[in-house]
Amino acid sequence: MSGPRPVVLSGPSGAGKSTLLKKLLKDYKGVFGFSVSHTTRDPRPGEVDGKDYHFTNREAMQEDIDTGEFIETNEFSGNLYGTSKCAVQDVRAKGLICILDVDIAGVRHIKETDLDPIYVSIQPPSIEVLEERLRGRATETEEKIQSRLEAARIDMEECNEPGLFDIVIVNDDLDESYEKLQSVLKEEIIRVQEGIKS
Ligand SMILES: Nc1nc2c(ncn2[C@@H]2O[C@H](COP(=O)(O)OP(=O)(O)O)[C@@H](O)[C@H]2O)c(=O)[nH]1
Ligand SMILES: Nc1ncnc2c1ncn2[C@@H]1O[C@H](COP(=O)(O)OP(=O)(O)O)[C@@H](O)[C@H]1O
């Protein structure tokens, strides 16, 4: 499909993906669109079905996996997550930059497709800061915090694998991180904005 390249945001739970992604969606209306994933995890307070995720159950999701509806899926911290073909097509058909938020396993799966996105890893300054942020967000049980920190240690290692990401942003100061993210997406943003003008 032609149009602007999609963007994959990845990184440990609590690193700041959603915070940065929501800033882009707010500041660049008509430029970015979010690929709404499916998940079997329960909604957090304030999360809206169909906007933050398509909240589903394992049986329904497995059915759709079996019928080839998904580009990729992965089990993370006891729940299933996945990007459906429709989720991406719905955004790209509007000529928007499609932003996907997936874990590092999802990145590896997407590498095997023809999506050709810009790959961005959002990393915490340290595992200690990550733990503070996860606890500060107050969305996970103690058990989930521990399982997410365990996954984070792996992610923080693997993100530096040569050729895996186009850029790794250590999300310390939020404004600085947002500037870096905008600069790596500048070309695609201008392409869409020019398209809107023409
Ligand atoms: N592979 C894959 N991972 C996903 C997808 N959607 C979300 N994730 C990842 O699942 C992990 C958990 O997401 P979530 O429960 O929303 O926690 P959060 O990252 O702390 O906001 C994160 O690393 C997400 O990037 C998806 O469609 N595919
Ligand atoms: N640069 C930052 N400095 C301090 N707190 C941050 C920063 N980025 C994100 N946060 C906070 O850390 C928590 C996790 O951020 P979030 O965007 O939910 O991460 P993710 O989507 O990667 O799981 C949230 O409470 C958020 O407000």
Side-chain angles (χ1 to χ4, degrees):
M1 186 184 266
S2 64
R5 290 177 69 191
V7 178
V8 166
L9 283 191
S10 188
S13 172
K17 302 181 296 296
S18 307
T19 300
L20 290 162
L21 187 155
K22 286 184 176 125
K23 284 173 77 75
L24 284 174
L25 290 169
K26 181 169 162 286
D27 293 349
Y28 294 95
K29 296 230 181 310
V31 174
F32 288 99
F34 181 53
S35 164
V36 182
S37 294
H38 284 67
T39 187
T40 60
R41 81 155 164 78
D42 292 335
R44 293 171 182 154
E47 285 187 327
V48 177
D49 184 28
K51 180 174 174 283
D52 297 287
Y53 279 102
H54 294 295
F55 294 102
T56 182
N57 59 64
R58 275 181 186 272
E59 193 186 345
M61 196 155 166
Q62 192 54 56
E63 258 175 49
D64 287 347
I65 292 169
D66 297 344
T67 54
E69 304 298 317
F70 282 89
I71 295 174
E72 58 78 36
T73 60
N74 192 49
E75 181 95 19
F76 178 88
S77 187
N79 281 298
L80 259 184
Y81 293 81
T83 300
S84 68
K85 293 171 182 169
C86 291
V88 172
Q89 282 158 8
D90 287 354
V91 174
R92 301 194 76 188
K94 296 173 196 157
L96 302 176
I97 301 173
C98 181
I99 309 188
L100 297 88
D101 174 343
V102 300
D103 68 356
I104 203 157
V107 167
R108 295 183 193 283
H109 294 148
I110 290 169
K111 289 255 177 190
E112 290 160 27
T113 72
D114 61 358
L115 196 63
D116 186 34
I118 299 168
Y119 293 94
V120 180
S121 176
I122 306 295
Q123 292 293 325
S126 68
I127 195 79
E128 291 78 17
V129 166
L130 186 69
E131 180 165 1
E132 279 166 28
R133 290 185 189 170
L134 275 176
R135 293 189 183 287
R137 191 175 71 184
T139 55
E140 316 300 331
T141 61
E142 187 55 35
E143 185 197 355
K144 290 293 184 187
I145 287 176
Q146 294 312 321
S147 82
R148 283 163 183 249
L149 288 172
E150 201 181 308
R153 288 186 184 89
I154 297 165
D155 192 307
M156 291 165 79
E157 279 295 309
E158 293 188 359
C159 74
N160 296 308
E161 195 177 295
L164 194 57
F165 289 99
D166 294 292
I167 183 171
V168 177
I169 297 174
V170 177
N171 179 25
D172 194 350
D173 176 85
L174 184 58
D175 292 336
E176 274 176 30
S177 308
Y178 187 51
E179 283 307 312
K180 285 177 191 161
L181 181 60
Q182 290 177 91
S183 66
V184 81
L185 305 180
K186 192 171 67 238
E187 257 181 66
E188 298 310 309
I189 291 170
I190 291 168
R191 271 183 75 184
V192 176
Q193 288 173 332
E194 293 302 318
I196 293 170
K197 275 192 218 134
S198 60

